[in-house]
Structures are given as structure tokens and as C-alpha cells.
Amino acid sequence: MDTLNLDEQSRVLVLTGAGVSAESGVPTFRGMNGLWEGNRVEDVASPTGFQADAQLVWRFYSLRREAAARVRPNSGHVALAQLEQRLGERFLLATQNVDGLHARAGSRRMLAIHGELFQSRCERCNVPFADSQTYFAPPMPRCEKCQGAIRPHIVWFGETLDPSHLEQVDAFIEAAGEHLVFLAVGTSGLVYPAAGMVDAARDVGGATWLIDAAPSDDYAARFDHVLRGKSGEILPALFGR
Ligand code: OAD
């Protein structure tokens, strides 16, 4: 296996996707064939889906919350939290996962760029909704401030990412320059802008690593190093002190 050499100046940016949580028992997106109970995921994870059937959308996310609450972080999540402990501000994690497992493993320097399953907000005024329930049955809750509908705090298909998250990622890449080590772990590289981070990392002269059980040739071709296998096995070995 290629060895990851980190020195005093190295800055590590990690992008994770659904594959990191697979060994915890959370199904990946493409693993579900893009379908949930016969509905296309785009139809339940989109603003138009929410307008059309808020009840269906709440059921989908409630089931995902239940599933996420049942599982535990795996050795891949733990290895990333330990690397953060070692590197401090020279580490940043951008995760596409909404399951909260990185935080439960101890990651703190982390941006949940696709949102968080265990948070909700008003769709009109964006005020967070204090909810710990797994399922909202009718009547659906309304925002106390403006009576807007309450929606999951998830970046849906067709929505843009929080610009401050992208700014933080860009700033980290710029500051690191050639000292950047970029790792994409358990992500198919199909969804932008996350899928473009590897190109930004290469542009500043950083080293790029892909760790994935079954990477596509197209995505793998954009990395210097490709490690095929389970992140729960590879990450602890790669970061071994
Ligand atoms: P995908 O389901 O597209 O890809 C998961 C990747 O993980 C695949 O490349 C698998 O080969 C790999 N994989 C599976 N098990 C693994 C393991 N044990 N170890 C390492 N790799 C493994 O998931 P994402 O790339 O995360 O967006 O999907 C990106 C986004 O698409 C999601 O965040 C979601 C979806 O639309 C939103 O919800 C906004």
C-alpha cells in the first residue's frame, strides 16, 4: 500500500461520502439504486418533492434518522477523528454525509456540506426548529416565528451549498498550497461541487488520494493515489503513527 507521509507543514483536507458509513450499516445512495419505496430519491429529496408531499418527505427522513440513530461510528470515522486530534488546525473534514457519525466519532473541524439529518429549520425564515422527534405526523409543525413549514436541514437536489462552507474549503486549499494532502473517501464523485475538490487540490500542487471500495475509472483518473478497499480498514492503516 502507498504510504502517506505527513510532515510538520502538511495540511490535510478530507472529503467523505456515503461509503465511509457503509461499514456502520448505512446504505449508500447508489447502493439503493436511487430508489426509496418505489420513489426516485430526487422526488423525496427536493424542494418540489416537499411542496408536492411534505408527509412523504418527513417519512423518508424520519426513517433515515431512526436508522442513523441505531448505528455506530466505525473505525474509519474514528481514524479521521484521531488524525484531527494530531493535526489540529492543519486538518479539515468536509462530509457529504448527513448521518452525524463523524461528530459522534469526535470530529469537530468538520463541515456538513450536504446538511444534517438531526436538524430541521423553517423553510421560509430559516430559523432552526428544536426537534428531536423522529417523525412528524399531521398536523405538520409550523415555525413559531413566521408559521412557515418545517423542513429537514438537508441540501436537496437543485439547491446550492452553504457558500460559507465552500469559502472555508477554498481558503484551506489556498492556504495549504503545495503542502495540501487531499483525500476523498467513499464517494462516487458524481455530485458537484464536492466532486470538483480534487481538481482544486491539484491546481495548487497538492497530493491527491482516493480511498474507495469500487471507484469509477473516471473519478480515479483524477487522483495521484488510488487505494481500493474498505475505508474502515484502509484509513486506520494509512494514518498509523
Ligand atoms: P455514493 O452512494 O454515490 O457513493 C458511495 C461510494 O462509496 C461508492 O464509490 C462506493 O464504491 C464507495 N463505498 C461503498 N462502501 C465502501 C466502503 N466500505 N469503504 C469505502 N468506500 C465504499 O455516495 P456519495 O458519493 O456520498 O447528496 O453521494 C454523493 C451525494 O449524492 C450524497 O451526499 C447525496 C447524493 O445525492 C445529497 O443528499 C445532497
Side-chain angles (χ1 to χ4, degrees):
M1 186 165 97
D2 294 7
T3 319
L4 176 69
N5 291 315
L6 300 178
D7 62 28
E8 296 294 296
Q9 292 189 299
S10 304
R11 287 167 177 257
V12 178
L13 172 64
V14 184
L15 169 69
T16 60
V20 169
S21 294
E23 288 156 84
S24 293
V26 182
T28 61
F29 286 90
R30 316 303 148 193
M32 300 193 293
N33 288 327
L35 284 180
W36 171 69
E37 293 189 358
N39 300 289
R40 291 189 323 140
V41 171
E42 290 85 347
D43 292 338
V44 276
S46 65
T48 44
F50 189 61
Q51 299 296 338
D53 194 345
Q55 190 61 29
L56 180 80
V57 172
W58 270 115
R59 215 164 79 72
F60 174 67
Y61 283 102
S62 301
L63 291 173
R64 290 189 62 194
R65 280 190 233 214
E66 264 175 25
R70 266 201 311 268
V71 301
R72 298 165 58 87
N74 64 55
S75 47
H77 297 107
V78 172
L80 288 168
Q82 288 174 345
L83 184 66
E84 174 186 324
Q85 289 279 316
R86 220 168 106 194
L87 298 179
E89 63 185 19
R90 294 189 290 122
F91 178 92
L92 182 65
L93 171 62
T95 185
Q96 299 169 91
N97 300 342
V98 298
D99 54 31
L101 289 177
H102 282 302
R104 283 171 57 195
S107 288
R108 294 293 175 267
R109 294 178 184 279
M110 181 189 66
L111 304 169
I113 61 174
H114 286 176
E116 302 190 39
L117 200 49
F118 293 95
Q119 288 181 24
S120 306
R121 67 170 197 266
C122 171
E123 73 161 349
R124 199 182 293 160
C125 73
N126 284 326
V127 163
F129 186 71
D131 100 86
S132 56
Q133 301 178 49
T134 53
Y135 181 49
F136 294 127
M140 303 293 279
R142 291 265 157 195
C143 173
E144 286 189 351
K145 226 173 121 195
C146 78
Q147 294 303 303
I150 300 300
R151 59 164 280 176
H153 184 58
I154 299 282
V155 179
W156 279 333
F157 289 97
E159 294 186 320
T160 49
L161 273 59
D162 180 340
S164 85
H165 285 171
L166 295 177
E167 282 161 19
Q168 288 175 71
V169 169
D170 287 347
F172 190 90
I173 291 173
E174 285 305 317
E178 62 184 0
H179 300 295
L180 181 68
V181 178
F182 172 72
L183 295 99
V185 191
T187 177
S188 54
L190 291 172
V191 176
Y192 282 80
M197 281 182 199
V198 60
D199 306 314
R202 290 177 71 102
D203 285 349
V204 298
T208 55
W209 294 70
L210 175 62
I211 293 116
D212 196 288
S216 75
D217 291 344
D218 285 353
Y219 195 42
R222 289 152 65 191
F223 288 79
D224 304 321
H225 307 270
V226 179
L227 303 179
R228 288 177 173 76
K230 293 182 175 175
S231 49
E233 292 168 7
I234 292 182
L235 293 181
L238 195 62
F239 303 155
R241 287 161 197 246

